[in-house]
Amino acid sequence: MFQLAFIRVKDTECQLTRTLHLVLGKGNSLDLNQDIDGFNSEIKKATFSVADLQDIGYLLASTFKRAQTLELHIDDEVLFLHTPEVWVKWLSLGLALSSYDYKHRDSFHLEPSINAFELKTDETTLATAFFEGQILAQSQLIARELVNKPGNVIYPESFVSAVQDLPMENTALSFLTEAEMREKGFGGLVGISQGSDRDGRMLCLDYHPEGAQTTIALVGKGVTFDTGGISIKGQLRMSTMKVDMGGAAAVVGALNAIAQLQLPVRVVGLCGLVENMPSGCAIKPGDVVTMLSGKSVEIISTDAEGRMVLADVMHYAQQTFKPDYLIDIATLTGATGVSLGKAYASLMGNSDELKMLAKAAGHSCSEPLWEMPISTDLYEASLKSDFADVRHGSEDGDAGASVAATFLNHFVAPEQKWIHIDSAAMSLGMTHRKIYPKAASGYGTFLLTALCQHIASHTNNDK
C-alpha cells in the first residue's frame, strides 16, 4: 500500500490526522464512505481517472477542514493506474483549489489564494510534482478570477491592468490600443470594438527563455462582454456573457504556469480584448470589413464576433512572431456545446501533428478534446460572398463550429501549423466536477500548459 501525507500549512489549532483509503470496487462515483474500519473514510471505484485524482484532493481537504494532516492510503492495484508523480501532482492541485470561493470586489486586482499544504516526502520527483500541482492551481485561479469578475470591473483596459500586476518571470508584457490597431488595419477587431464606449486592446505576453528554439503562439478570444451587438442575444443567460473572454483568461493562466515551470520554449500569449455592444457606432449585418490580412469580410451576424477578433490577432501573431505552432482558444460557438456538452471542447486545425499533441495533452490533464472537421466543400460554400472575399458565416447556422473554424483557416498561412479549440460550453457550469462547485472553471489553463509541455518534449526529442 502506497501512503501520502499532506500537512496543512495554516495552523488549525487542531492536530488531528484524517485518513482516506482508495480501493478498487464496483463504484462509479466518488462517494466518500465514512462508515468503515481502520480509516476515517474510503472511496471504492472501478477505476480512477486524472479527473478523479483532482477531485479526490479537493474532496479530502474540504471534508476534513480542521485536520492538520491528511493521509492517503492507496492500494497497490489502484496506484498502478498512474505513476506516483501523476498521483501527487493532481492530488496537490485538488487540495490547493479546495478553499477557493469567489467574492466580489470593486477592483480589477487579482488575488487568487490557494489552500496551502506541504507534502511529507524526501523524494525530489514527488516534491517537484507537488509543486507543479500548486502552480497549476494558482494559475487556474487567475483565469477563474478574470472570468468571474463582472463586465463593469473587467473590460479591455482593466483586463490589461489586472495582468500587469501579475509577476511573470522572463515574460514581457505589451499591448496595442484601439487607436494603434485602427492605424495598423485591425479591421475585424476594431470593427467589433467600435460599438462600445470602452476601447479595445490587444495584450501580448512574451515568455522568452534564453536559448529557446521553438516558438508557440497562443491566441485567446477576449470578449469581456458579449451582447451580440446589433444581432442582440435573447434575455436568457445574457448575464453569463461576461465569460466570453474565457479563452483570453486561459491564455493568461497558462502563461503564468509556463513561466513558473520554466519551459524551454518561447510562448507568446496574445489576447484580443473587446466589448461587443449595440450602438449607433456598432458594426451591422451586411457591412463589409477589411481585415488586417487585407481580406474583405461580409458580416452576417454581429453575434459571430469572436472569429473577427481572432482572425486579426492570428494574422498579427504569424506576421510578427512567425511561430512554429499557432493555437487559438475561444468560447466561440454554441454549436460546440450542443454537439459535445461539457464532456469535451472541440478541436479543429490543419496539422495532424499538433492535433495529436493537443489530444494527448487534454487527456493528461483531464481537459479532453474531440476532433471535428473543417474546410470541406460544404463548409466553404457557407462562406461564399457576393460582396466580399469571404463572409464570416452562413445565414442558416448549420455546422456552426466547423464553419467558424473554416473561416479562421482563411487567415492561417498554408505552411503554418495551427489548431483551434472551441471551449464554448466549458467556461461555466462545470459543477459535475468537485473542483468546480460553482462559477467559472478557468478551462484551458491546464490544457494549454500541458500542450506547451508536450510540444517542448516533442521538439526536444526530435533534436
Side-chain angles (χ1 to χ4, degrees):
M1 185 178 292
F2 185 66
Q3 296 183 26
L4 293 167
F6 303 101
I7 315 299
R8 200 182 296 270
V9 172
K10 184 179 179 180
D11 186 2
T12 63
E13 298 182 356
C14 177
Q15 300 303 313
L16 290 175
T17 296
R18 289 292 180 258
T19 57
L20 171 62
H21 181 215
L22 301 184
V23 60
L24 289 182
K26 294 183 178 180
N28 292 314
S29 62
L30 293 177
D31 294 326
L32 199 69
N33 180 10
Q34 297 188 57
D35 186 21
I36 57 167
D37 294 327
F39 302 95
N40 299 114
S41 58
E42 182 179 85
I43 295 176
K44 185 177 290 187
K45 200 168 179 288
T47 191
F48 289 86
S49 66
V50 166
D52 289 333
L53 272 54
Q54 297 168 354
D55 285 346
I56 288 168
Y58 183 98
L59 194 59
L60 183 59
S62 58
T63 300
F64 302 113
K65 292 180 180 179
R66 297 185 62 226
Q68 194 74 42
T69 302
L70 302 175
E71 290 186 358
L72 201 62
H73 298 253
I74 308 172
D75 280 3
D76 289 341
E77 59 266 38
V78 177
L79 175 67
F80 293 154
L81 295 170
H82 306 281
T83 66
E85 291 76 20
V86 168
W87 277 99
V88 168
K89 173 181 173 179
W90 296 121
L91 287 166
S92 167
L93 178 129
L95 290 165
L97 291 177
S98 62
S99 63
Y100 178 65
D101 185 20
Y102 174 71
K103 300 295 184 185
H104 174 72
R105 292 182 299 111
D106 292 325
S107 170
F108 61 76
H109 294 289
L110 307 175
E111 297 177 359
S113 177
I114 64 172
N115 200 357
F117 283 84
E118 294 176 349
L119 173 66
K120 189 176 180 181
T121 184
D122 294 326
E123 297 187 35
T124 302
T125 57
L126 295 186
T128 300
F130 183 81
F131 181 60
E132 184 173 349
Q134 291 185 315
I135 288 172
L136 288 169
Q138 183 195 45
S139 299
Q140 193 205 59
L141 290 185
I142 288 170
R144 287 165 78 172
E145 282 281 290
L146 283 167
V147 178
N148 280 331
K149 288 182 180 292
N152 60 321
V153 174
I154 289 293
Y155 42 88
E157 184 179 4
S158 64
F159 186 108
V160 172
S161 297
V163 177
Q164 283 177 317
D165 284 350
L166 299 174
M168 294 189 192
E169 292 187 11
N170 295 322
T171 305
L173 182 149
S174 61
F175 63 89
L176 295 177
T177 65
E178 183 162 320
E180 290 170 329
M181 288 186 285
R182 183 180 290 107
E183 184 178 347
K184 290 178 181 292
F186 281 71
L189 189 153
V190 172
I192 300 303
S193 182
Q194 70 191 31
S196 172
D197 289 338
R198 301 189 191 276
D199 282 354
R201 292 286 187 273
M202 193 196 72
L203 173 65
C204 177
L205 295 169
D206 187 356
Y207 167 74
H208 196 170
E210 187 176 349
Q213 298 181 23
T214 300
T215 298
I216 305 165
L218 305 178
V219 175
K221 174 188 172 184
V223 179
T224 58
F225 195 84
D226 180 21
T227 67
I230 297 298
S231 307
I232 197 163
K233 295 176 182 289
Q235 179 180 351
L236 184 64
R237 297 191 178 88
M238 175 76 88
S239 64
T240 68
M241 287 301 103
K242 65 181 183 178
V243 310
D244 212 15
M245 35 68 79
V251 167
V252 173
L255 261 293
N256 185 77
I258 288 162
Q260 290 192 61
L261 294 171
Q262 300 179 12
L263 297 192
V265 288
R266 184 184 187 187
V267 183
V268 184
L270 296 156
C271 301
L273 304 168
V274 299
E275 276 190 340
N276 186 24
M277 302 290 284
S279 75
C281 298
I283 198 169
K284 306 177 296 297
D287 284 359
V288 175
V289 171
T290 300
M291 308 291 284
L292 182 62
S293 69
K295 287 181 185 274
S296 59
V297 174
E298 179 190 2
I299 304 301
I300 300 301
S301 165
T302 63
D303 195 24
E305 83 297 331
R307 66 198 70 180
M308 300 294 288
V309 174
L310 288 173
D312 270 354
V313 180
M314 287 164 56
H315 181 80
Y316 179 86
Q318 292 169 88
Q319 295 297 110
T320 306
F321 300 102
K322 298 184 170 31
D324 299 287
Y325 300 94
L326 174 65
I327 300 152
D328 80 83
I329 183 168
T331 52
L332 201 64
T333 67
T336 282
V338 171
S339 301
L340 302 173
K342 297 183 183 298
Y344 298 89
S346 62
L347 170 68
M348 291 157 270
N350 65 9
S351 167
D352 289 339
E353 173 202 355
L354 191 49
K355 285 187 285 188
M356 176 193 70
L357 289 168
K359 284 186 278 191
H363 178 74
S364 73
C365 67
S366 197
E367 291 194 340
L369 299 169
W370 190 271
E371 187 173 350
M372 297 176 73
I374 64 166
S375 297
T376 66
D377 290 342
L378 180 63
Y379 305 148
E380 290 289 0
S382 297
L383 302 177
K384 289 182 179 178
S385 172
D386 293 338
F387 309 104
D389 294 327
V390 63
R391 63 180 187 177
H392 78 162
S394 64
E395 296 282 4
D396 56 31
D398 289 346
S402 293
V403 169
T406 301
F407 172 79
L408 292 177
N409 193 35
H410 280 256
F411 300 88
V412 177
E415 70 281 359
Q416 176 66 62
K417 294 178 181 178
W418 161 72
I419 58 169
H420 162 65
I421 299 165
D422 189 337
S423 58
M426 313 300 277
S427 289
L428 198 66
M430 297 282 284
T431 53
H432 59 287
R433 294 290 311 281
K434 304 292 184 186
I435 57 174
Y436 309 125
K438 62 180 183 179
S441 69
Y443 179 91
T445 301
F446 302 159
L447 173 61
L448 296 177
T449 305
L451 178 50
C452 289
Q453 289 174 313
H454 278 62
I455 290 172
S457 176
H458 175 69
T459 54
N460 285 341
N461 288 339
D462 286 345
K463 292 172 183 175

